């Protein structure tokens, strides 16, 4: 597995609320949840 230390804040801010379909909203929510979990682990 590759480890990437990229800051994607701009991407997440620019795409917030842009997804219109249920599947798009679901994917976005899953990605955000995973990102938040990883960020929380980094802080601890």
């Amino acid at each position: 597995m590759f480890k990437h230390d990229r800051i994607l804040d701009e991407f997440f801010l620019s795409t917030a609320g842009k997804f219109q379909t249920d599947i798009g909203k679901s994917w976005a929510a899953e990605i955000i949840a995973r990102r938040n979990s990883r960020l929380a682990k980094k802080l601890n």
Side-chain angles (χ1 to χ4, degrees):
M1 183 154 113
F2 296 104
K3 185 174 183 176
H4 300 282
D5 289 326
R6 299 190 186 241
I7 299 171
L8 298 174
D9 294 339
E10 185 177 331
F11 169 77
F12 283 96
L13 290 172
S14 69
T15 59
K18 300 287 183 181
F19 298 98
Q20 301 298 312
T21 64
D22 288 340
I23 192 74
K25 290 175 185 178
S26 175
W27 288 349
E30 178 67 23
I31 291 167
I32 290 168
R34 289 183 186 200
R35 179 177 187 255
N36 289 342
S37 176
R38 287 181 183 226
L39 290 175
K41 287 178 184 177
K42 278 188 170 186
L43 293 176
N44 293 325

